[in-house]
Amino acid sequence: MEKETSAGAGETASKNFIEIEIDKDLQEEKVASVCTRFPPEPNGYLHIGHAKSILLNYGLAREYGGKFLLRFDDTNPMKEKTEFVESIIRDVKWLGADYEGEVRFASNYFDQMYEYAVKLIKKGKAFVCDLSADQIREYRGTLTEPGKESPYRNRSIEENLRLFQEMKDGRYPDGSKTLRAKIDMSSPNINMRDPVIYRIARMTHHNTGDKWCIYPMYDFAHPIEDGIEGVTHSICTLEFEDHRPLYDWVVREVGFEKPPRQIEFAKLYLTNVVTGKRYIKKLVEDGIVDGWDDPRLVTIAALRRRGYTPESIRMFMELVGVSKGNSSVDYAMLDYCIREDLKLKRPRMMAVLRPLKLIIDNYPEGKVEYLDVENNKENEALGTRKVPFGRELYIEEEDFMENPPKKYFRLFPGNEVRLMNAYFVRCVDVVKDAQGNVTEIHCTYDPETRSGSGFTGRKVKGTIHWVYAPTSIKAAVRLYENLVDEEKGVYNKEDGSVNVNPNSLTVLENARLEPAFEGAKGGDSYQFVRNGYFCVDSKDSAPDALVFNRVVPLKSSFKIKK
Ligand code: ATP
Ligand code: MG
């Protein structure tokens, strides 16, 4: 990631609270260099919130000349899949977060974790407990009441060692025993009340197969993973704040020479957007969206398919910053970032989304002119192209009105407008079908008014875009609105389901593009003049049947509620 591309949040900006803590640790020589990690569970696709965590961790490693690791936290085989492992690696790479060495898997440390558990038992810091899950919950107490000690808490070290070994050997049924840390049942922090650190569960693991029938719990496994890898700063989200004392307990009791340190920050939430793996998964499984990369989602795969760039996402994260307090960021900010990124980089071409035929009566039949048009007025480096012009064109349906309101400066009977990069035309006639729908408009053009000719004779108030009909390329264009019904809120209060906006997707099957679009490939993006930024769909588009997704309109559709 290049700091220089950041929008205003460069080196001079004040440091965030994590940087301040890292500076202190370096100064006090608690650490010699910085090592961070991104530890996803491979149980779904990554979303924009994860991108924040990735870029934060990667950014810190870069800033301090340290290391950034990618590690799968695959200690819960229930929901994990190889498909997710692959998608996550792809997304992390796409974001430009270069991880050090190979991808790591927590499951590769199962042997070490087991040894550390044995070590705790030998220190008298862990015991095998026969209470059921319900009993454990009952004994745990509440925020206001202390817990009760398990009757198995004072088993001898020898007995614990034997029982734990037997748990591992498959001698006991699932759920019949656990290994628990022996800490303090009266701690005000419930996480410290003899937490379970190993459970018996016969599940086939995507990496270790059937080798294990006991699996470590997250709160035990995670600090050990960090410790083994030499992570110095284990950055996680706020819901783990109450788990930090347990994290510190584990790294201390296990005896890491250089214990990692956990620091929490606030999750990224976006307004009117479904984040949360659980909900996205449900939308996918219920078939409400077209897979994990449906362009209406905010998974990284969906953002990529929609046409967002890694640069735009990095810019967004810099603007959002890092904080200790939960809040929601307006989605319009992400839109702003993608517009900023594509503005100078991509060509601006003509595409008509809802075509209406326009005939220039006084233009010679069969004649074609090739107009020189700049690809991007603000960036000469993108060069020019030839755009054909002739008698039969398509314009946008909405650029013509038979009975226009005041201040409508586009085409209507008798009015004159400029055809972008071409000539002035005046509407002289309208053709309608039997139902009274306008099917064709007829104009005359003034050959004196060609763009770039220096014509100053008179002015027009409207400029509209167009496409020369005979060589136009037909394409499908998808327009999006928020997936979520903004009036109703993201989630339905009764059952937690998502309130889906019925207009979240509009498909226009008959868009017409200028011929310069020929050869457009999946992932290519363009500005369609006046209509926004569009990206060729990487799944459904074919060379002879192009499909475009609108990334974002040109102007913010963001409305201030009155
Ligand atoms: P979700 O909240 O969507 O279910 P998760 O926390 O279960 O996600 P993990 O795979 O466990 O997903 O997350 C990997 C890392 O990403 C964790 O360090 C987690 O704290 C971080 N993370 C998850 N969601 C966000 C978010 N919205 N903003 C910032 N970081 C996040
Ligand atoms: Mg999680």
Side-chain angles (χ1 to χ4, degrees):
M1 177 169 49
E2 278 165 28
K3 274 269 174 191
E4 299 83 84
T5 59
S6 71
E11 310 298 356
T12 52
S14 62
K15 298 206 168 189
N16 66 47
F17 70 94
I18 300 178
E19 293 165 321
I20 291 169
E21 290 302 313
I22 295 179
D23 283 346
K24 245 197 280 178
D25 290 343
L26 286 165
Q27 226 157 41
E28 294 169 8
E29 294 180 10
K30 284 189 184 153
V31 299
S33 62
V34 171
C35 180
T36 59
R37 87 287 174 262
F38 175 63
E41 255 185 278
N43 61 357
Y45 278 58
L46 299 181
H47 56 63
I48 185 88
H50 296 114
K52 171 156 187 172
S53 174
I54 294 165
L55 295 172
L56 171 62
N57 279 292
Y58 174 65
L60 288 168
R62 281 271 306 226
E63 182 183 342
Y64 290 95
K67 286 192 215 169
F68 166 72
L69 314 178
L70 172 59
R71 176 216 310 148
F72 286 98
D73 211 332
D74 57 348
T75 54
N76 179 11
M78 273 295 281
K79 295 175 282 177
E80 294 163 2
K81 278 208 274 180
T82 320
E83 175 196 354
F84 299 140
V85 170
E86 284 160 8
S87 78
I88 290 171
I89 294 174
R90 178 169 185 216
D91 291 346
V92 171
K93 286 187 173 162
W94 181 75
L95 282 171
D98 263 329
Y99 48 86
E100 179 94 7
E102 296 294 308
V103 172
R104 289 139 217 263
F105 290 89
S107 56
N108 286 339
Y109 313 137
F110 279 163
D111 285 307
Q112 278 151 290
M113 290 178 194
Y114 180 80
E115 288 311 319
Y116 283 129
V118 168
K119 182 172 179 177
L120 291 187
I121 295 174
K122 286 183 179 161
K123 288 171 76 178
K125 299 279 183 169
F127 65 99
V128 172
C129 183
D130 297 2
L131 293 182
S132 67
D134 285 341
Q135 287 169 318
I136 289 180
R137 206 169 304 121
E138 221 176 276
Y139 274 63
R140 191 182 292 136
T142 62
L143 282 175
T144 51
E145 285 166 57
K148 270 194 314 198
E149 294 190 350
S150 160
Y152 304 98
R153 197 173 199 264
N154 295 314
R155 277 177 162 155
S156 70
I157 289 175
E158 288 66 37
E159 190 183 4
N160 281 320
L161 285 173
R162 178 178 56 80
L163 291 172
F164 188 48
Q165 170 80 45
E166 289 173 356
M167 279 168 64
K168 177 184 180 235
D169 293 342
R171 298 273 296 272
Y172 303 108
D174 287 7
S176 62
K177 285 185 172 26
T178 56
L179 184 71
R180 298 177 65 181
K182 199 189 246 187
I183 309 180
D184 179 6
M185 287 309 290
S186 62
S187 170
N189 184 335
I190 293 182
N191 295 305
M192 299 298 272
R193 294 183 189 167
D194 294 1
V196 172
I197 59 178
Y198 263 93
R199 61 193 168 127
I200 307 174
R202 284 165 178 80
M203 300 182 283
T204 303
H205 190 280
H206 76 100
N207 182 21
T208 57
D210 292 319
K211 177 175 174 191
W212 295 90
C213 65
I214 56 171
Y215 288 98
M217 303 301 286
Y218 179 88
D219 280 339
F220 178 67
H222 202 86
I224 292 179
E225 296 156 26
D226 287 339
I228 289 173
E229 291 172 355
V231 167
T232 55
H233 296 86
S234 178
I235 293 161
C236 65
T237 41
L238 284 181
E239 70 273 22
F240 291 102
E241 199 165 13
D242 290 343
H243 297 243
R244 193 189 332 135
L246 179 52
Y247 184 99
D248 291 340
W249 185 92
V250 172
V251 294
R252 189 175 66 242
E253 296 299 339
V254 151
F256 285 117
E257 218 169 282
K258 293 200 174 84
R261 169 180 178 198
Q262 175 179 308
I263 302 178
E264 309 86 17
F265 71 100
K267 274 194 173 179
L268 170 69
Y269 293 102
L270 285 174
T271 51
N272 293 317
V273 155
V274 187
T275 45
K277 228 184 281 188
R278 200 151 62 87
Y279 293 104
I280 296 177
K281 194 176 199 142
K282 184 133 184 20
L283 290 171
V284 174
E285 283 169 357
D286 293 353
I288 291 168
V289 294
D290 167 32
W292 286 93
D293 62 353
D294 184 300
R296 292 166 293 177
L297 293 173
V298 289
T299 57
I300 299 182
L303 291 167
R304 173 171 56 233
R305 184 171 169 199
R306 174 102 172 234
Y308 284 86
T309 57
E311 290 81 356
S312 65
I313 295 173
R314 295 198 294 246
M315 185 194 300
F316 175 69
M317 296 306 169
E318 299 237 2
L319 285 175
V320 171
V322 186
S323 97
K324 216 42 199 171
N326 279 319
S327 64
S328 282
V329 177
D330 201 306
Y331 195 89
M333 205 151 128
L334 187 57
D335 284 348
Y336 164 82
C337 294
I338 187 63
R339 278 190 211 103
E340 280 298 299
D341 186 44
L342 297 180
K343 195 165 72 178
L344 300 182
K345 278 191 201 164
R346 305 302 306 160
R348 302 175 182 180
M349 313 219 287
M350 294 197 282
V352 171
L353 302 186
R354 295 176 180 86
L356 172 61
K357 204 49 138 347
L358 181 152
I359 316 272
I360 305 174
D361 292 339
N362 62 340
Y363 196 90
E365 235 162 295
K367 178 179 169 184
V368 185
E369 279 177 79
Y370 291 89
L371 309 169
D372 274 311
V373 175
E374 285 167 302
N375 286 326
N376 187 322
K377 281 196 173 59
E378 295 178 71
N379 180 7
E380 266 183 31
L382 292 188
T384 62
R385 69 182 185 283
K386 298 277 187 202
V387 179
F389 178 85
R391 190 166 193 270
E392 281 191 31
L393 310 175
Y394 289 113
I395 63 165
E396 295 286 353
E397 235 170 53
E398 61 171 32
D399 283 339
F400 173 81
M401 279 182 99
E402 202 172 9
N403 301 298
K406 268 189 194 147
K407 302 218 170 151
Y408 185 86
F409 299 122
R410 292 171 267 168
L411 265 187
F412 53 87
N415 192 41
E416 190 174 45
V417 298
R418 172 174 290 288
L419 292 175
M420 191 177 282
N421 306 308
Y423 300 93
F424 287 6
V425 289
R426 184 182 303 279
C427 176
V428 292
D429 198 10
V430 178
V431 178
K432 295 181 187 175
D433 63 14
Q435 285 78 43
N437 301 311
V438 176
T439 54
E440 216 173 84
I441 45 184
H442 286 256
C443 291
T444 54
Y445 90 117
D446 177 352
E448 302 290 303
T449 58
R450 183 168 162 158
S451 286
S453 68
F455 175 80
T456 53
R458 62 187 183 281
K459 288 207 161 94
V460 288
K461 282 196 168 145
T463 298
I464 65 175
H465 65 280
W466 51 273
V467 168
Y468 178 55
T471 56
S472 66
I473 300 173
K474 194 171 148 185
V477 169
R478 297 163 175 169
L479 306 180
Y480 301 103
E481 279 181 23
N482 273 350
L483 183 58
V484 168
D485 189 323
E486 292 179 44
E487 301 291 310
K488 294 187 187 151
V490 180
Y491 307 111
N492 195 331
K493 285 202 181 67
E494 270 95 70
D495 59 0
S497 61
V498 173
N499 288 316
V500 175
N501 170 8
N503 303 319
S504 62
L505 171 65
T506 305
V507 185
L508 305 174
E509 298 285 357
N510 195 27
R512 299 288 174 152
L513 320 179
E514 56 167 289
F517 280 97
E518 200 188 322
K521 295 182 309 300
D524 289 350
S525 58
Y526 302 85
Q527 185 188 114
F528 289 6
V529 293
R530 297 175 66 222
N531 279 320
Y533 291 96
F534 293 75
C535 181
V536 181
D537 191 83
S538 43
K539 259 194 182 167
D540 301 331
S541 192
D544 55 351
L546 294 174
V547 179
F548 286 83
N549 300 325
R550 177 147 73 183
V551 192
V552 66
L554 286 184
K555 296 231 174 66
S556 176
S557 57
F558 174 59
K559 292 179 221 93
I560 295 167
K561 293 232 165 72
K562 288 189 189 127

